Amino acid sequence: MLGLFSKKASSLLGIDISSTSVKLLELSRAGDCFRVEAYGVEPLPANAVVEKNIVEPEGVGQALSRLLARTRPGVKNAALAMAGSAVISKVIEMEAGLSDDDRESQLKVDADQYIPYPLDEAAIDFDVLGYSPRNPERVEVLLAACRREHIEIREAALELAGLTPRVVDLEVCALERSFAQAAGPTLSGTVALLDIGATLTTLSIMQAGQVIYSREQLFGGQQLTEHIQRRYGLSQEEADLAKKQGGLPDDYLGEVLQPFQEAVVQQVARSLQFFQASSLQRQLDSILLAGGSASVPGLAPLIEQRLGLPVLLANPFAGMSIGGKFDAAALASDAPALMIACGLALRSFD
């Protein structure tokens, strides 16, 4: 049964569920100008989400409930995203003259060629990308599928908090949408978007606003948080706060932060080597840092120095106006971690 991604939506909250927190964003638009109406980040219970797979929907639902009570958004309909590792996507060719219903029927018949699990366990959708460059009588179609249970557990977590899930998107599509906001006129050519999450670091190579290459690695800011916890006897919440705001003992820079920075640089260099070894072999022009650890002090200039490429922090809210319900400085600090939430909220205006 098709219907993984809704084609039409309006007034949506962007809800990004990561391994250590849930993030909420509400946008409005007047003409061509966007405005941030509500936003917030709420930590999750330990192990409620493991590598972006929800293990305890009740814990996620309770965190969302706290977040909603604090941010008081104006809508209850929500868009959420599936991680790339949970989704099978493939570009196939089909006859150009088919209606959407006929195309859906044909995909149901042919789905077992592309999906390695039973069709009744899958949520599937498709999007026509355009005419095939090889044959004008055929079109290229993006087929996307994931196990239905992955969607249902996310929907259940949102419903526990009183939200209504309306759109399920791909994280990569949300990143493409927010990249257009974050890049603006300053970034052009081939850009490496590096999303340093809590447990996963994702490299997405962007060209003309689209992802042409993606690679995930099991590495993230949680390693820095855990090191701070062990060394200074702090809780996870205290360590996360200290990581952002500072105030740690004098040995933090040399004994904790610098080794983490070096590890990030090594991971980035390794990911870029895999990309350069791929068949694409594009020359990179710049790096855009996103994710919860992108704002770690000194990280951006160190990557720039070691790799010899311009490095910028992602800010999808550049050029947007800011509502009065929250601290604008806090939003600016959290901006690199809100790329997916922003891309989901922008679904309201597709």
Side-chain angles (χ1 to χ4, degrees):
M1 178 178 180
L2 300 192
L4 176 56
F5 314 119
S6 296
K7 299 294 190 281
K8 288 184 142 323
S10 62
S11 300
L12 294 168
L13 293 176
I15 302 294
D16 176 23
I17 304 171
S18 69
S19 295
T20 58
S21 67
V22 287
K23 306 172 188 74
L24 174 152
L25 185 72
E26 180 186 8
L27 298 176
S28 64
R29 184 173 68 177
D32 293 330
C33 298
F34 292 103
R35 174 183 170 92
V36 182
E37 298 291 351
Y39 109 94
V41 180
E42 181 71 20
L44 285 169
N47 300 316
V49 178
V50 178
E51 294 177 15
K52 297 191 176 182
N53 294 313
I54 295 179
V55 178
E56 299 177 5
E58 295 83 4
V60 177
Q62 290 167 7
L64 274 170
S65 294
R66 294 192 296 271
L67 188 54
L68 289 167
R70 190 172 76 250
T71 57
R72 294 177 288 115
V75 295
K76 293 292 187 180
N77 292 335
L80 60 153
M82 298 296 302
S85 55
V87 178
I88 296 169
S89 59
K90 185 176 181 64
V91 176
I92 61 176
E93 288 192 1
M94 302 183 73
E95 293 179 27
L98 295 176
S99 67
D100 282 351
D101 288 342
D102 289 340
R103 208 175 300 283
E104 178 177 332
S105 297
Q106 184 172 329
L107 284 171
K108 286 181 178 179
V109 173
D110 297 339
D112 58 354
Q113 299 179 35
Y114 314 111
I115 302 170
Y117 39 82
L119 186 59
D120 59 1
E121 297 178 10
I124 313 171
D125 206 355
F126 67 91
D127 190 27
V128 179
L129 302 177
Y131 286 98
S132 167
R134 292 175 294 276
N135 185 345
E137 296 183 355
R138 297 178 71 79
V139 291
E140 291 186 333
V141 177
L142 173 63
L143 173 67
C146 73
R147 289 190 180 274
R148 187 171 298 280
E149 64 190 52
H150 292 318
I151 292 180
E152 290 173 347
I153 198 167
R154 281 162 173 76
E155 290 177 336
L158 266 64
E159 288 166 356
L160 285 170
L163 293 175
T164 302
R166 293 293 188 192
V167 170
V168 180
D169 207 342
L170 294 174
E171 283 189 357
V172 65
C173 295
L175 283 174
E176 287 178 348
R177 217 172 285 116
S178 59
F179 177 81
Q181 294 293 320
T186 60
L187 294 178
S188 59
T190 304
V191 180
L193 174 59
L194 188 73
D195 187 336
I196 308 172
T199 59
L200 284 176
T201 294
T202 305
L203 172 70
S204 301
I205 305 298
M206 313 290 296
Q207 191 165 58
Q210 293 187 324
V211 176
I212 62 170
Y213 174 92
S214 184
R215 177 179 174 83
E216 291 182 346
Q217 287 184 281
L218 279 172
F219 176 86
Q222 186 66 16
Q223 295 187 19
L224 177 58
T225 301
E226 290 173 355
H227 196 168
I228 293 171
Q229 286 180 263
R230 291 193 302 268
R231 190 170 187 90
Y232 304 113
L234 301 177
S235 68
Q236 177 169 318
E237 189 172 351
E238 290 170 335
D240 276 327
L241 191 62
K243 187 168 68 174
K244 287 184 178 181
Q245 299 181 357
L248 289 165
D250 292 341
D251 66 348
Y252 169 66
L253 180 61
E255 299 297 323
V256 181
L257 181 59
Q258 287 182 352
F260 174 75
Q261 291 173 330
E262 292 290 343
V264 172
V265 171
Q266 291 175 10
Q267 294 292 331
V268 175
R270 186 176 296 118
S271 292
L272 293 179
Q273 286 173 357
F274 278 108
F275 167 65
Q276 297 294 355
S278 73
S279 59
L280 297 171
Q281 295 182 336
R282 308 289 173 88
Q283 183 66 41
L284 288 178
D285 296 294
S286 57
I287 296 174
L288 189 65
L289 285 187
S293 296
S295 301
V296 167
L299 183 58
L302 181 63
I303 295 175
E304 184 169 289
Q305 175 191 347
R306 294 291 181 82
L307 300 184
L309 289 168
V311 177
L312 297 174
L313 283 180
N315 181 9
F317 310 115
M320 293 189 187
S321 61
I322 307 299
K325 291 184 184 177
F326 51 85
D327 183 355
L331 176 66
S333 175
D334 287 331
L338 293 167
M339 289 284 284
I340 291 175
C342 182
L344 292 171
L346 286 167
R347 277 296 298 264
S348 301
F349 314 107
D350 282 357

